[in-house]
Amino acid sequence: MSKNKDESPSDDDGEERHGMRHGVYKHELYELQVELVKLQKDIIANNRRVLVLFEGRDAAGKDGTIKRIVQHLSPRETRVVALGKPSDRETTEWYFQRYTEHLPAAAEMVLFNRSWYNRAGVERVMGFCTDTDYERFMEQVPYYENLLIGSGIHFIKYYLDISKKEQKARMKERRENPLKQWKISPIDEVAVKHWDNYSKARDAMLTGTHSEWAPWTVVDANKKRLLRINVIRDLLSRIDYEGKNGKRIEPDPDIVMPFDDKLIEKGKLSK
């Protein structure tokens, strides 16, 4: 009989791989999810707009992290956006157009599971856009994000980083676990093959689109439980809200790091 847990049995193989004992993780997650409910109540009460963007390598843990954030939040005021391949019509639109329609309205929190940064990542690496398309994107995206913030949106963007060894292990698990095979895509299957190209694209993206108004935050995603706990802590630490328990929400600085060119120079990002 399968275990009735928040994680699959393969996720429950101890502190060594996931960085935190299961019981400690469940307790900490509960406390942080209580804080997330407080945050949402404040967002609704004050008609705030919050946008959280998640990027990262394939199998970096975006799905699982977002799931824990929204798990106990109101679905009416919380939306997860994970857009698929653009339609023929959408390929003729302004690149940011199909993302713009999903931005938060008053009292909403929206989480993007991948975003317009597809152009700087998978599209760049796999040749799904031209050099001109890419260069235009890199030029326009800081202005686009400045407009979002200028309109009153509270905007946070995370890049989840994992090692090549961990990515291989998670891809293998997806192929073997019947409950996770829906996550497998043709792009995922060649992710390891194009590892070096993705590293170069990541470095160019982070360096070229990190700005004072829309900075990147890099997260070490090799330990799933530490990833989830520390992203939620960081998210809560970025926004003031009624009843905030500040003692619980300081992220580990070795897990959650403000992006800086020195992270690349010092080899802090996976190669």
Side-chain angles (χ1 to χ4, degrees), residues 82-205:
L83 300 184
K85 181 181 177 181
S87 67
D88 290 343
R89 183 183 187 279
E90 287 171 333
T91 60
T92 69
E93 298 173 346
W94 177 49
Y95 179 70
F96 295 97
Q97 188 166 330
R98 73 183 189 124
Y99 296 100
T100 302
E101 66 177 293
H102 296 284
L103 296 176
E108 287 186 341
M109 179 163 68
V110 173
L111 300 95
F112 273 82
N113 186 347
R114 294 199 182 277
S115 66
W116 44 86
Y117 283 104
N118 275 336
R119 176 133 297 175
V122 64
E123 290 188 21
R124 178 64 168 168
V125 172
M126 301 303 295
F128 296 157
C129 68
T130 66
D131 290 344
T132 300
D133 291 334
Y134 170 78
E135 290 162 6
R136 183 181 296 118
F137 168 81
M138 294 294 285
E139 178 183 349
Q140 290 182 349
V141 70
Y143 297 102
Y144 178 70
E145 293 176 351
N146 194 24
L147 288 172
L148 300 185
I149 293 163
S151 75
I153 292 176
H154 195 114
F155 181 40
I156 302 170
K157 54 187 187 183
Y158 293 106
Y159 184 88
L160 310 187
D161 194 55
I162 57 173
S163 68
K164 190 174 185 177
K165 178 181 178 181
E166 182 64 18
Q167 186 184 61
K168 285 182 176 179
R170 294 183 188 180
M171 292 294 191
K172 181 175 184 291
E173 182 180 0
R174 286 183 178 185
R175 289 191 293 269
E176 296 177 353
N177 187 336
L179 298 178
K180 294 189 175 185
Q181 290 181 3
W182 63 271
K183 294 185 176 184
I184 299 173
S185 74
I187 298 298
D188 292 340
E189 290 292 345
V190 297
V192 176
K193 176 182 176 182
H194 292 283
W195 178 269
D196 292 340
N197 290 333
Y198 273 112
S199 295
K200 293 175 183 177
R202 174 205 61 201
D203 293 352
M205 179 190 79

